[in-house]
Amino acid sequence: MSILINKDSKILVQGITSKYGKDQVQKMLEYGSKIVAGVGPGKGGESVLGVPVYDTAKEAVEKHGANVGIVYVPAVNAKDAALELINSGVKLIMIASEGIPIHDTMKIKKASLEKGVWVVGPNTIGLISPGECMAGSLSHEFTKKGNVGVVTRGGTVAIELARILTEAGYGQSSIIGSGGDRVLGRNPAEYLEEFEKDPETRVVVLNGEIGGGKEAECAAVIEKMTKPVFAYILGRCAPEGKRMGHIGAIVGSPAEGFEAKRTLLKKAGAIVVDTPWEIVEKLKTMTI
């Protein structure tokens, strides 16, 4: 099985008429994802790669039954695009946009929780359930269907983890890029809970990084999980007081540092590793 998206997911893309949006839609269509409609204000009636375009998300949902929304619009417009999707009736939204003002993200999160809409991101590479559906920019050629669940805060590392696992013969149930911002629609701990409930996921890989308290939330969940969780934390060599890539990857207190997070996760029962390749070596000693 998988979490969040599957072969029955019907995707609506905000920003489908942009060059980036069109490129990503083409890759998703080639993979077999069901892109049923797009939204481009003032461009209703057009089509992109055979996908009909509408002026509003509500119209697209009503006509095509879309249940997943993707946001490929500039950060300044992302809040309005996301709120439109939240109010359109979709149940899952992936926000790729990076650099969204934190107060805009807080408004998106509040509205999504009130409406029961699951928001992946912002600042995410997306998600994939191998063999079923891809919503985003993950390199699907490095994935294969299996029973390892993966949740990462980084996009590139999601692709690298998939490649390493696949080359070693370990397929994935779903791979989720939770996003690199300080405020996210859903935090990594919530994905761990979903993987714990998924009957086909046998083991979970968590990639975290310095900054914020999201790994502390993960530790609280891991303590209650029955499935093995591998934890790989980035930021060992990050200079003190310097942001490492993502907006949220900066140490604001000792508890947000590299060693503190590793210690906390290990105490919670996670299998803490130094490199992604160590995950594979330890998997070889397990029956999954």
Side-chain angles (χ1 to χ4, degrees):
M1 291 180 67
S2 57
I3 67 168
L4 301 182
I5 58 172
N6 53 45
K7 58 183 175 57
D8 296 321
S9 297
K10 298 179 180 180
I11 302 172
L12 161 65
V13 179
Q14 290 262 29
I16 193 172
T17 58
S18 68
K19 183 181 184 304
Y20 184 79
K22 181 179 178 180
D23 288 345
Q24 300 312 306
V25 166
Q26 182 168 357
K27 292 174 183 176
M28 286 185 277
L29 286 171
E30 289 172 354
Y31 188 65
S33 299
K34 297 176 182 176
I35 313 293
V36 298
V39 173
K43 298 186 178 182
E46 298 181 11
S47 66
V48 173
L49 301 172
V51 177
V53 179
Y54 298 88
D55 290 317
T56 68
K58 184 178 180 180
E59 184 180 9
V61 170
E62 289 176 348
K63 292 193 175 182
H64 297 277
N67 52 18
V68 175
I70 292 178
V71 176
Y72 285 137
V73 303
V76 67
N77 300 323
K79 181 190 73 175
D80 290 339
L83 292 178
E84 183 186 3
L85 283 170
I86 288 168
N87 291 316
S88 72
V90 299
K91 293 304 178 184
L92 174 72
I93 301 173
M94 187 279 278
I95 305 176
S97 312
E98 183 174 359
I100 300 175
I102 192 168
H103 284 88
D104 284 0
T105 305
M106 291 169 71
K107 290 175 182 176
I108 293 169
K109 182 165 187 169
K110 181 176 184 294
S112 68
L113 292 175
E114 289 174 347
K115 293 275 191 176
V117 177
W118 191 292
V119 173
V120 181
N123 188 10
T124 175
I125 195 171
L127 59 162
I128 185 171
S129 294
E132 298 192 53
C133 181
M134 176 173 71
S137 310
L138 279 142
S139 298
H140 60 79
E141 62 270 25
F142 296 134
T143 70
K144 77 171 187 175
K145 193 171 184 63
N147 53 21
V148 179
V150 180
V151 55
T152 79
R153 285 179 63 181
T156 304
V157 73
I159 297 172
E160 185 65 1
L161 284 167
R163 184 188 68 80
I164 291 169
L165 288 166
T166 297
E167 287 185 355
Y170 297 101
Q172 308 88 45
S173 53
S174 291
I175 304 171
I176 315 291
S178 64
D181 286 3
R182 273 199 173 271
V183 176
L184 300 174
R186 297 286 180 137
N187 289 336
E190 296 173 88
Y191 296 101
L192 293 180
E193 291 173 335
E194 292 302 304
F195 279 126
E196 173 70 3
K197 291 185 290 187
D198 177 36
E200 298 302 320
T201 298
R202 303 288 179 82
V203 62
V204 183
V205 175
L206 166 68
N207 159 239
E209 60 192 21
I210 59 169
K214 293 179 174 59
E215 287 74 18
E217 295 176 4
C218 289
V221 172
I222 291 169
E223 286 180 339
K224 304 172 185 175
M225 291 180 66
T226 62
K227 299 174 182 179
V229 178
F230 289 93
Y232 170 53
I233 305 298
L234 298 174
R236 180 193 296 271
C237 300
E240 186 175 349
K242 298 292 185 180
R243 180 169 65 85
M244 185 194 73
H246 293 148
I247 292 171
I250 182 170
V251 178
S253 71
E256 297 180 7
F258 175 81
E259 290 297 346
K261 292 194 175 191
R262 282 168 56 91
T263 299
L264 186 62
L265 288 163
K266 186 178 292 186
K267 184 178 179 181
I271 305 167
V272 178
V273 298
D274 295 319
T275 71
W277 298 276
E278 191 178 343
I279 297 171
V280 170
E281 292 306 310
K282 291 186 180 296
L283 278 173
K284 290 177 181 178
T285 68
M286 304 167 61
T287 301
I288 63 169

